[in-house]
Structures are given as structure tokens and as C-alpha cells.
Coordinates of all heavy atoms in Angstrom, one line a residue:
M1 N 38.2 4.0 19.2 CA 39.0 4.8 20.1 C 39.3 4.0 21.3 O 38.5 3.5 22.0 CB 38.3 6.1 20.5 CG 39.0 6.9 21.5 SD 38.1 8.4 22.2 CE 36.7 8.6 21.1
E2 N 40.6 3.8 21.6 CA 41.0 3.0 22.8 C 41.9 3.8 23.6 O 42.7 4.6 23.2 CB 41.8 1.7 22.3 CG 40.8 0.7 21.7 CD 41.5 -0.7 21.5 OE1 42.6 -0.9 22.1 OE2 41.0 -1.4 20.7
H3 N 41.8 3.6 25.0 CA 42.7 4.3 25.9 C 43.2 3.3 26.9 O 42.4 2.5 27.4 CB 41.9 5.4 26.7 CG 41.3 6.4 25.7 ND1 41.9 7.6 25.4 CD2 40.1 6.4 25.1 CE1 41.2 8.3 24.6 NE2 40.1 7.6 24.4
N4 N 44.4 3.3 27.3 CA 45.0 2.5 28.4 C 44.9 3.3 29.6 O 45.4 4.4 29.7 CB 46.4 2.1 28.1 CG 46.5 1.2 26.8 OD1 45.6 0.4 26.6 ND2 47.5 1.4 26.0
K5 N 44.3 2.7 30.7 CA 44.1 3.4 31.9 C 44.6 2.6 33.1 O 44.6 1.4 33.0 CB 42.6 3.7 32.2 CG 42.0 4.5 31.1 CD 42.5 5.9 30.9 CE 42.1 6.8 32.0 NZ 42.5 8.2 31.7
K6 N 45.1 3.2 34.2 CA 45.5 2.6 35.3 C 44.5 2.6 36.4 O 43.8 3.7 36.6 CB 46.8 3.2 35.8 CG 47.5 2.4 36.9 CD 48.8 3.2 37.4 CE 49.9 2.9 36.4 NZ 51.2 3.5 36.9
I7 N 44.3 1.5 37.1 CA 43.3 1.5 38.2 C 43.9 2.1 39.4 O 45.0 1.8 39.8 CB 42.8 0.0 38.5 CG1 42.1 -0.6 37.2 CG2 41.9 -0.1 39.7 CD1 41.8 -2.0 37.3
T8 N 43.1 3.0 40.1 CA 43.6 3.7 41.3 C 43.6 2.7 42.5 O 43.0 1.6 42.4 CB 42.7 4.9 41.6 OG1 41.4 4.4 42.0 CG2 42.6 5.8 40.4
R9 N 44.2 3.1 43.6 CA 44.2 2.3 44.8 C 42.8 2.0 45.3 O 42.5 1.0 45.9 CB 44.9 3.1 45.9 CG 46.4 3.0 45.8 CD 47.1 3.8 46.9 NE 48.5 4.0 46.6 CZ 49.4 3.6 47.4 NH1 49.2 3.2 48.6 NH2 50.7 3.8 47.1
A10 N 41.9 3.0 45.0 CA 40.5 2.8 45.5 C 39.7 2.0 44.5 O 38.5 1.8 44.7 CB 39.8 4.2 45.6
G11 N 40.3 1.5 43.4 CA 39.6 0.7 42.4 C 39.0 1.4 41.3 O 38.2 0.9 40.5
G12 N 39.2 2.7 41.2 CA 38.6 3.6 40.2 C 39.4 3.6 38.9 O 40.6 3.3 38.9
V13 N 38.7 4.0 37.9 CA 39.3 4.2 36.6 C 38.6 5.5 36.0 O 37.4 5.6 36.0 CB 39.0 3.0 35.6 CG1 39.6 3.3 34.2 CG2 39.5 1.7 36.1
S14 N 39.4 6.4 35.6 CA 38.8 7.7 35.1 C 38.5 7.5 33.6 O 39.3 6.8 32.9 CB 39.8 8.9 35.3 OG 41.0 8.7 34.5
L15 N 37.4 8.1 33.1 CA 37.1 8.0 31.7 C 37.7 9.2 31.0 O 37.7 10.3 31.5 CB 35.6 8.1 31.6 CG 34.8 7.0 32.2 CD1 33.3 7.3 32.1 CD2 35.1 5.7 31.7
P16 N 38.3 9.0 29.8 CA 39.0 10.1 29.1 C 38.1 11.2 28.8 O 36.9 11.0 28.5 CB 39.4 9.4 27.8 CG 39.4 7.9 28.1 CD 38.4 7.7 29.1
V17 N 38.6 12.5 28.9 CA 37.8 13.7 28.8 C 37.1 13.7 27.4 O 36.0 14.1 27.2 CB 38.6 14.9 29.1 CG1 39.7 15.2 28.0 CG2 37.7 16.1 29.2
S18 N 37.8 13.2 26.4 CA 37.3 13.2 25.0 C 36.0 12.4 24.9 O 35.0 12.7 24.3 CB 38.3 12.7 24.0 OG 38.7 11.4 24.3
L19 N 36.0 11.2 25.6 CA 34.9 10.3 25.7 C 33.8 11.0 26.5 O 32.6 10.9 26.0 CB 35.3 9.0 26.3 CG 34.4 7.8 26.2 CD1 35.1 6.5 26.1 CD2 33.5 7.8 27.4
R20 N 34.1 11.6 27.6 CA 33.0 12.2 28.4 C 32.4 13.4 27.6 O 31.2 13.5 27.7 CB 33.6 12.8 29.7 CG 33.9 11.6 30.7 CD 34.4 12.1 32.0 NE 35.9 12.3 31.9 CZ 36.5 13.4 32.4 NH1 35.9 14.3 33.0 NH2 37.8 13.5 32.3
R21 N 33.2 14.1 26.9 CA 32.6 15.2 26.1 C 31.7 14.7 25.0 O 30.6 15.2 24.8 CB 33.7 16.1 25.6 CG 34.3 17.0 26.6 CD 35.3 18.0 26.0 NE 35.9 18.8 27.0 CZ 37.1 19.2 26.9 NH1 37.9 18.9 25.9 NH2 37.6 19.9 27.9
E22 N 32.2 13.7 24.3 CA 31.5 13.2 23.1 C 30.1 12.6 23.5 O 29.2 12.7 22.8 CB 32.3 12.1 22.4 CG 31.7 11.6 21.1 CD 32.5 10.6 20.4 OE1 33.7 10.5 20.7 OE2 32.0 10.0 19.4
Y23 N 30.1 11.9 24.7 CA 28.9 11.3 25.1 C 28.1 12.0 26.2 O 27.1 11.5 26.7 CB 29.2 9.8 25.5 CG 29.5 9.0 24.3 CD1 30.9 8.8 23.9 CD2 28.6 8.3 23.6 CE1 31.2 8.1 22.8 CE2 28.9 7.6 22.5 CZ 30.2 7.5 22.1 OH 30.5 6.7 21.0
G24 N 28.6 13.2 26.5 CA 27.8 14.0 27.5 C 27.8 13.4 28.9 O 26.8 13.5 29.6
I25 N 28.9 12.7 29.3 CA 28.9 12.0 30.6 C 29.3 13.0 31.7 O 30.4 13.7 31.5 CB 29.9 10.8 30.5 CG1 29.5 9.8 29.5 CG2 30.0 10.2 31.9 CD1 30.5 8.8 29.2
E26 N 28.5 13.2 32.7 CA 28.7 14.2 33.7 C 29.1 13.5 35.0 O 28.7 12.4 35.3 CB 27.4 15.0 33.9 CG 26.9 15.7 32.7 CD 27.8 16.9 32.3 OE1 28.5 17.4 33.2 OE2 27.7 17.4 31.2
P27 N 29.9 14.2 35.9 CA 30.2 13.7 37.2 C 28.9 13.3 38.0 O 27.9 14.1 37.9 CB 30.9 14.8 37.9 CG 31.4 15.7 36.8 CD 30.4 15.6 35.7
G28 N 28.9 12.2 38.7 CA 27.7 11.8 39.4 C 26.8 10.9 38.7 O 25.9 10.3 39.2
E29 N 27.0 10.7 37.4 CA 26.2 9.8 36.6 C 26.4 8.4 37.1 O 27.5 8.0 37.4 CB 26.6 9.9 35.1 CG 25.7 9.0 34.2 CD 25.9 9.2 32.7 OE1 26.3 10.3 32.3 OE2 25.7 8.3 32.0
K30 N 25.4 7.6 37.1 CA 25.5 6.2 37.5 C 25.6 5.3 36.4 O 25.1 5.4 35.3 CB 24.2 5.8 38.3 CG 24.1 6.5 39.7 CD 22.9 6.1 40.4 CE 22.9 6.8 41.8 NZ 21.7 6.5 42.5
V31 N 26.5 4.2 36.6 CA 26.7 3.2 35.6 C 26.5 1.8 36.2 O 26.7 1.7 37.4 CB 28.1 3.3 34.9 CG1 28.2 4.6 34.1 CG2 29.2 3.2 36.0
N32 N 26.2 0.9 35.4 CA 26.1 -0.5 35.9 C 27.4 -1.2 35.4 O 27.8 -1.1 34.2 CB 24.9 -1.2 35.2 CG 24.8 -2.7 35.5 OD1 25.5 -3.5 34.9 ND2 24.1 -3.0 36.5
V33 N 28.1 -1.9 36.3 CA 29.3 -2.6 35.9 C 29.1 -4.1 35.9 O 28.5 -4.7 36.9 CB 30.4 -2.3 37.0 CG1 31.8 -3.0 36.6 CG2 30.6 -0.8 37.1
S34 N 29.5 -4.8 34.8 CA 29.3 -6.2 34.8 C 30.4 -6.8 34.0 O 31.2 -6.1 33.3 CB 27.9 -6.6 34.1 OG 27.9 -6.1 32.8
V35 N 30.6 -8.1 34.0 CA 31.6 -8.8 33.2 C 30.8 -9.8 32.3 O 30.0 -10.6 32.8 CB 32.5 -9.6 34.1 CG1 33.6 -10.4 33.3 CG2 33.2 -8.7 35.1
N36 N 31.0 -9.7 31.0 CA 30.3 -10.5 30.1 C 30.9 -11.9 30.0 O 32.0 -12.2 30.6 CB 30.1 -9.9 28.7 CG 31.4 -9.8 27.9 OD1 32.4 -10.5 28.2 ND2 31.4 -8.9 26.9
A37 N 30.4 -12.8 29.2 CA 30.8 -14.2 29.0 C 32.2 -14.3 28.5 O 32.9 -15.3 28.8 CB 29.9 -14.9 28.1
A38 N 32.7 -13.3 27.8 CA 34.1 -13.3 27.3 C 35.1 -12.7 28.3 O 36.3 -12.6 28.0 CB 34.1 -12.5 26.0
G39 N 34.6 -12.3 29.5 CA 35.5 -11.8 30.5 C 35.7 -10.3 30.3 O 36.6 -9.7 30.9
V40 N 35.0 -9.6 29.4 CA 35.1 -8.2 29.2 C 34.3 -7.4 30.2 O 33.1 -7.7 30.4 CB 34.7 -7.8 27.7 CG1 34.8 -6.3 27.5 CG2 35.6 -8.6 26.7
I41 N 34.9 -6.4 30.9 CA 34.2 -5.6 31.8 C 33.4 -4.5 31.1 O 34.0 -3.8 30.2 CB 35.2 -4.9 32.8 CG1 35.9 -6.0 33.6 CG2 34.4 -4.0 33.8 CD1 37.0 -5.5 34.5
E42 N 32.1 -4.5 31.3 CA 31.2 -3.5 30.6 C 30.7 -2.5 31.6 O 30.3 -2.8 32.7 CB 30.1 -4.3 30.0 CG 30.5 -5.3 28.9 CD 29.3 -6.1 28.4 OE1 28.4 -6.4 29.1 OE2 29.4 -6.3 27.1
L43 N 30.6 -1.2 31.1 CA 29.9 -0.2 31.9 C 28.7 0.2 31.1 O 28.8 0.6 29.9 CB 30.8 1.1 32.0 CG 32.1 1.0 32.8 CD1 32.8 2.4 32.8 CD2 31.8 0.7 34.2
K44 N 27.5 0.2 31.7 CA 26.3 0.6 31.0 C 25.8 1.8 31.7 O 25.6 1.8 33.0 CB 25.3 -0.5 31.0 CG 25.7 -1.7 30.1 CD 24.6 -2.8 30.2 CE 25.1 -4.0 29.4 NZ 24.5 -5.2 29.9
R45 N 25.4 2.8 31.0 CA 24.9 4.0 31.6 C 23.4 3.8 32.0 O 22.6 3.3 31.2 CB 24.9 5.2 30.5 CG 26.3 5.4 30.1 CD 26.4 6.5 29.0 NE 26.2 7.8 29.6 CZ 26.1 8.9 28.9 NH1 26.2 8.8 27.6 NH2 25.9 10.0 29.5
I46 N 23.1 4.0 33.2 CA 21.7 3.8 33.7 C 21.0 5.1 34.1 O 19.9 5.1 34.4 CB 21.7 2.8 34.9 CG1 22.6 3.2 36.0 CG2 22.1 1.4 34.4 CD1 22.5 2.3 37.2
E47 N 21.8 6.1 34.2 CA 21.2 7.4 34.6 C 22.2 8.5 34.0 O 23.3 8.2 33.8 CB 21.3 7.5 36.1 CG 20.2 8.3 36.8 CD 20.3 8.1 38.3 OE1 21.2 8.8 38.9 OE2 19.5 7.3 38.8
G48 N 21.7 9.7 33.8 CA 22.6 10.7 33.3 C 21.9 12.0 33.0 O 20.9 12.3 33.7
S49 N 22.4 12.7 32.1 CA 21.9 14.0 31.7 C 21.9 14.2 30.2 O 22.7 13.6 29.5 CB 22.6 15.2 32.4 OG 24.0 15.1 32.0
C50 N 21.1 15.1 29.7 CA 20.9 15.3 28.3 C 22.2 15.9 27.7 O 22.9 16.8 28.3 CB 19.8 16.3 28.1 SG 19.6 16.8 26.3
L51 N 22.6 15.3 26.6 CA 23.8 15.7 25.9 C 23.8 17.2 25.6 O 24.8 17.9 25.6 CB 24.0 14.9 24.6 CG 25.1 15.3 23.7 CD1 26.5 14.9 24.3 CD2 25.0 14.5 22.4
F52 N 22.6 17.7 25.2 CA 22.5 19.1 24.8 C 22.3 20.1 25.9 O 22.9 21.2 26.0 CB 21.4 19.2 23.7 CG 21.7 18.3 22.5 CD1 20.9 17.2 22.3 CD2 22.8 18.6 21.7 CE1 21.2 16.4 21.2 CE2 23.0 17.8 20.6 CZ 22.2 16.7 20.4
C53 N 21.3 19.8 26.8 CA 20.9 20.9 27.8 C 21.2 20.4 29.2 O 20.9 21.2 30.1 CB 19.4 21.2 27.6 SG 18.3 19.9 28.1
H54 N 21.7 19.2 29.4 CA 22.0 18.7 30.7 C 20.8 18.4 31.7 O 21.0 18.2 32.8 CB 23.1 19.6 31.5 CG 24.3 19.8 30.6 ND1 25.2 18.8 30.3 CD2 24.8 20.9 30.0 CE1 26.1 19.3 29.5 NE2 25.9 20.5 29.3
S55 N 19.6 18.5 31.1 CA 18.4 18.1 31.9 C 18.5 16.6 32.2 O 19.1 15.8 31.5 CB 17.2 18.4 31.0 OG 16.1 17.7 31.6
D56 N 17.8 16.2 33.3 CA 17.8 14.8 33.6 C 16.3 14.2 33.5 O 16.0 13.2 34.0 CB 18.4 14.5 35.0 CG 17.6 15.1 36.1 OD1 16.6 15.9 35.8 OD2 17.9 14.9 37.3
E57 N 15.5 15.0 32.8 CA 14.1 14.6 32.6 C 13.8 13.9 31.3 O 14.2 14.3 30.3 CB 13.2 15.9 32.8 CG 13.3 16.5 34.2 CD 12.5 17.7 34.3 OE1 11.6 18.0 33.5 OE2 12.8 18.5 35.3
E58 N 13.1 12.8 31.5 CA 12.6 12.0 30.3 C 13.7 11.7 29.3 O 13.6 11.9 28.1 CB 11.4 12.7 29.7 CG 10.2 12.8 30.6 CD 9.0 13.4 29.9 OE1 8.6 12.8 28.9 OE2 8.6 14.5 30.3
L59 N 14.8 11.1 29.8 CA 15.9 10.8 29.0 C 15.7 9.5 28.2 O 15.1 8.6 28.7 CB 17.2 10.7 29.8 CG 17.6 11.9 30.5 CD1 18.8 11.5 31.5 CD2 18.1 13.0 29.6
K60 N 16.2 9.5 27.0 CA 16.3 8.2 26.2 C 17.7 8.2 25.7 O 18.3 9.2 25.3 CB 15.3 8.2 25.1 CG 13.9 7.9 25.5 CD 13.0 7.6 24.3 CE 11.6 7.3 24.7 NZ 10.7 7.2 23.6
L61 N 18.2 6.9 25.6 CA 19.5 6.7 25.0 C 19.4 6.6 23.5 O 18.6 5.9 23.0 CB 20.2 5.4 25.5 CG 21.0 5.6 26.8 CD1 21.4 4.2 27.3 CD2 22.2 6.5 26.7
Y62 N 20.3 7.4 22.8 CA 20.3 7.4 21.3 C 21.8 7.2 20.9 O 22.6 8.1 21.2 CB 19.7 8.6 20.7 CG 19.7 8.6 19.2 CD1 18.9 7.7 18.5 CD2 20.7 9.3 18.5 CE1 18.9 7.7 17.1 CE2 20.7 9.2 17.1 CZ 19.8 8.4 16.4 OH 19.9 8.4 15.0
E63 N 22.2 6.1 20.4 CA 23.6 5.8 20.1 C 24.5 6.1 21.2 O 25.6 6.8 21.0 CB 23.9 6.5 18.8 CG 23.1 6.0 17.6 CD 23.6 6.5 16.2 OE1 24.6 7.3 16.2 OE2 23.0 6.1 15.2
G64 N 24.1 5.7 22.4 CA 25.0 5.9 23.6 C 24.9 7.2 24.2 O 25.6 7.5 25.2
R65 N 24.1 8.1 23.7 CA 24.0 9.5 24.3 C 22.6 9.7 24.8 O 21.6 9.4 24.2 CB 24.3 10.5 23.2 CG 25.7 10.4 22.7 CD 25.8 10.9 21.3 NE 27.1 11.0 20.8 CZ 27.7 10.0 20.1 NH1 27.1 8.9 19.8 NH2 28.9 10.2 19.7
H66 N 22.5 10.3 26.0 CA 21.2 10.6 26.6 C 20.7 11.9 26.0 O 21.4 12.9 25.9 CB 21.3 10.9 28.1 CG 21.6 9.7 29.0 ND1 20.6 8.7 29.1 CD2 22.6 9.3 29.7 CE1 21.1 7.8 29.9 NE2 22.3 8.0 30.2
I67 N 19.4 11.9 25.6 CA 18.8 13.1 25.0 C 17.4 13.2 25.7 O 16.6 12.3 25.7 CB 18.6 13.0 23.5 CG1 20.0 12.7 22.9 CG2 18.0 14.3 22.9 CD1 20.0 12.6 21.4
C68 N 17.1 14.4 26.2 CA 15.8 14.6 26.9 C 14.7 14.8 25.9 O 14.9 15.0 24.7 CB 15.9 15.8 27.8 SG 15.8 17.4 27.0
R69 N 13.4 14.7 26.4 CA 12.2 14.8 25.5 C 12.2 16.1 24.7 O 12.0 16.1 23.5 CB 11.0 14.6 26.4 CG 9.7 14.7 25.6 CD 8.5 14.8 26.4 NE 8.5 16.0 27.3 CZ 8.4 17.2 27.0 NH1 8.1 17.5 25.7 NH2 8.5 18.2 27.9
K70 N 12.5 17.2 25.4 CA 12.4 18.5 24.8 C 13.4 18.6 23.6 O 13.1 19.1 22.6 CB 12.8 19.6 25.9 CG 12.4 21.0 25.5 CD 12.7 21.9 26.7 CE 12.7 23.3 26.3 NZ 13.0 24.2 27.5
C71 N 14.7 18.1 23.9 CA 15.7 18.2 22.8 C 15.4 17.2 21.7 O 15.7 17.5 20.5 CB 17.1 18.0 23.4 SG 17.6 19.4 24.4
R72 N 14.8 16.0 22.1 CA 14.4 15.1 21.0 C 13.4 15.7 20.1 O 13.5 15.6 18.8 CB 13.9 13.8 21.6 CG 14.9 12.9 22.3 CD 14.3 11.5 22.5 NE 13.1 11.4 23.2 CZ 13.0 11.4 24.5 NH1 14.0 11.5 25.3 NH2 11.8 11.4 25.1
A73 N 12.5 16.4 20.7 CA 11.4 17.1 19.8 C 12.1 18.2 19.0 O 11.8 18.4 17.8 CB 10.4 17.7 20.7
A74 N 13.0 18.9 19.6 CA 13.7 20.1 18.9 C 14.5 19.6 17.7 O 14.6 20.3 16.7 CB 14.5 20.9 19.8
I75 N 15.0 18.4 17.7 CA 15.9 17.9 16.6 C 15.1 16.9 15.8 O 15.7 16.2 15.0 CB 17.2 17.3 17.1 CG1 17.0 16.1 18.1 CG2 18.0 18.4 17.8 CD1 18.3 15.4 18.5
G76 N 13.8 16.8 15.9 CA 13.1 16.0 15.0 C 12.4 14.8 15.5 O 12.0 13.9 14.8
G77 N 12.3 14.7 16.9 CA 11.5 13.7 17.5 C 12.1 12.3 17.4 O 11.4 11.3 17.0
L78 N 13.3 12.1 17.8 CA 14.0 10.8 17.8 C 13.2 9.8 18.8 O 12.7 10.2 19.8 CB 15.4 10.9 18.4 CG 16.4 11.6 17.4 CD1 17.7 11.8 18.2 CD2 16.6 10.9 16.2
Ligands
ZN101 ZN1 17.9 18.3 26.5

């Protein structure tokens, strides 16, 4: 999935709503911004909320999605 986005005057770029919904990305979540050796700008999620219940406790990333301890246990202990 690719999206072409325009950078705002303030230097911001909005993430497409479909991507935010699919990965449970909420306003206020923190990301790390870096440029890799190929010159590609990367955003890495460093903080967030659970995809299922929006808790921010004991999160682990699973295929790019944050899942809390309680929900991991509920879906089989990832
Ligand atoms: Zn949860």
C-alpha cells in the first residue's frame, strides 16, 4: 500500500486513516524518525496503545501492531 503525501509548512506529514486503523496508531503516539543508508526516511513506533483495547501497559510489537499483555494472553499468548 503506497500513499503520496504533501509535507505541511510545519514539516508534518499525516498518516492515511486506513493505515492508522489497520495498525492501531493513535494521536499522541511517539515515533522515531531516521534516514537509512539508502536515503529512505523511516518511522519506527516507540510508544503506543494496544490495537484491541487501547491500553498502554506492557505492550509488545507483533507484525507492526502493539498488543498489551492482557490481549496477548486472550488471543493465545503471543
Ligand atoms: Zn489490549
Side-chain angles (χ1 to χ4, degrees):
M1 178 187 343
E2 288 189 18
H3 301 267
N4 295 323
K5 305 297 286 189
K6 191 180 277 186
I7 296 172
T8 67
R9 285 177 188 234
V13 178
S14 64
L15 300 177
V17 68
S18 59
L19 189 147
R20 286 183 274 136
R21 283 187 184 144
E22 182 176 350
Y23 289 91
I25 300 169
E26 300 286 340
E29 182 172 333
K30 291 183 179 175
V31 294
N32 175 277
V33 182
S34 63
V35 181
N36 72 16
V40 176
I41 298 171
E42 298 176 322
L43 293 181
K44 289 181 189 151
R45 301 175 76 183
I46 55 176
E47 212 173 79
S49 59
C50 177
L51 175 67
F52 301 110
C53 72
H54 305 292
S55 163
D56 62 358
E57 295 180 16
E58 298 184 60
L59 298 172
K60 280 192 179 172
L61 271 174
Y62 180 75
E63 296 189 1
R65 294 152 175 96
H66 287 292
I67 304 176
C68 75
R69 181 191 54 74
K70 194 174 165 185
C71 289
R72 287 196 307 274
I75 61 176
L78 293 172

